[in-house]
Amino acid sequence: MATIKDVAALAGVSLGTASRVLSGSSQTSPGSRARVTAAAKELNYIANGPARSLRRSRTDVLGLLVSDIRNPFFSELAHAAEREAQRRGYTVLLANADEDAGQEAAYLRTFASQRIDGLLIAPQGSDVTPLRALRDGGLPLVFVDRSVDGLDVPTIGTDNEDGVRRALTWLHARGHREVAFVGGPPEVSTGRERRAAFLRFRDELGLSADPRLVAHGDFRAESGVEAMRAVLASGARPTAVLSADGLMTLGVARALREVSAGGTAPGGAGAAEPLEAVEIVSFDDLDWFSLVSPPISAVRNDATAIGRLGVAALVDVIEGRPGASHRVATSFVDRSGEPAGSAGAAGADA
């Protein structure tokens, strides 16, 4: 690989002149700039990033640690964050915690050893110690989608409470009263917030408080299958299900289809209503929801806005400005094709 000395020799200038030209300084003559630029191009010269960052105390590199890169929500968030970072002159190093606290800890150690300017992270659990160590060590942090109690850093996330309210209000208007909830893990902030919102609005709307209707998974498809099977095995017979994330919605749909095909609910009890008629609503909207029959209505969780605002907040912190926390509003995508109250759900009030 060509060095700056090679560039200087080919251009016929001093090492200092070559360095000034390649760093963008205007304190050189037009002729010198032209010769150095031409030499660098001819030699395919690439600047030594680590050495330059030591001089500048900046690398123009951000870390991004997401929870599960296979989850379309986090893929979209990462894409938006990368585009916004590039627009602001930064490169993004992406890491995947894979919904695993141990893997998250390993990546945090890696990021701590690298010269990144700041870190965007969707935390895995409630352990604040490693994150506090990074922040107290001077690394700017911003939480995206999730947060950890006890650490005051900017947080860019979804308005989980309002999203759940939208979903349950819609289901209530369609006549559903026996609504199951497949929530996320309680050790994750989004899991706790969405469950708390479900319980609150369930009671306010007068929906069934049967505890058998509430189960939780780990924000992955297979856990949605197991949670939905557990609800049905308990003897509960929901007419609708709210799933707390897109991948678990896939699992819920799979479980209901499997049981419907068998004609018998887990535990041997026949379903009071056809299980294929159970209405599914997802917190997170995925592309394929419009392609299944019947289509799945969803709370639209704006991952693009979260990624973009997360980068903006992190750059503010890096540059010495206070980073602002923000709750991004949700919207509701109604794919029922029917007016409110026309679902004919079992258990509807007269």
Side-chain angles (χ1 to χ4, degrees), residues 1-7 43-46:
M1 181 178 294
T3 68
I4 194 170
K5 291 182 179 179
D6 298 327
V7 173
L43 294 171
N44 292 317
Y45 171 76
I46 299 174

Side-chain angles (χ1 to χ4, degrees), residues 142-198:
V142 168
F143 291 146
V144 286
D145 184 58
R146 304 175 180 182
S147 62
V148 175
D149 293 339
L151 191 62
D152 184 19
V153 302
T155 302
I156 312 297
T158 298
D159 190 339
N160 291 303
E161 183 174 271
D162 190 57
V164 171
R165 178 193 62 78
R166 289 175 185 271
L168 288 187
T169 301
W170 183 81
L171 286 170
H172 179 272
R174 288 176 58 73
H176 294 287
R177 299 297 179 266
E178 297 291 323
V179 179
F181 178 67
V182 174
E187 63 271 17
V188 174
S189 63
T190 46
R192 293 192 302 274
E193 290 176 9
R194 291 173 194 175
R195 184 180 189 277
F198 173 82

Side-chain angles (χ1 to χ4, degrees), residues 26-44:
S26 60
Q27 303 302 310
T28 54
S29 69
S32 294
R33 288 197 295 274
R35 291 196 302 276
V36 170
T37 301
K41 183 176 181 180
E42 181 177 338
L43 294 171
N44 292 317

Side-chain angles (χ1 to χ4, degrees), residues 175-246:
H176 294 287
R177 299 297 179 266
E178 297 291 323
V179 179
F181 178 67
V182 174
E187 63 271 17
V188 174
S189 63
T190 46
R192 293 192 302 274
E193 290 176 9
R194 291 173 194 175
R195 184 180 189 277
F198 173 82
L199 297 177
R200 173 187 169 186
F201 293 113
R202 176 199 70 181
D203 294 343
E204 288 187 5
L205 292 166
L207 306 181
S208 172
D210 186 345
R212 299 176 301 173
L213 290 168
V214 179
H216 73 269
D218 62 5
F219 288 140
R220 290 183 170 181
E222 188 57 36
S223 73
V225 174
E226 296 302 321
M228 194 68 242
R229 286 174 179 167
V231 169
L232 298 174
S234 74
R237 290 297 174 263
T239 62
V241 183
L242 172 60
S243 173
D245 114 301

Side-chain angles (χ1 to χ4, degrees), residues 238-259:
T239 62
V241 183
L242 172 60
S243 173
D245 114 301
L247 290 184
M248 289 195 305
T249 300
L250 172 61
V252 167
R254 184 185 303 159
L256 289 172
R257 179 165 295 185
E258 290 172 356
V259 174

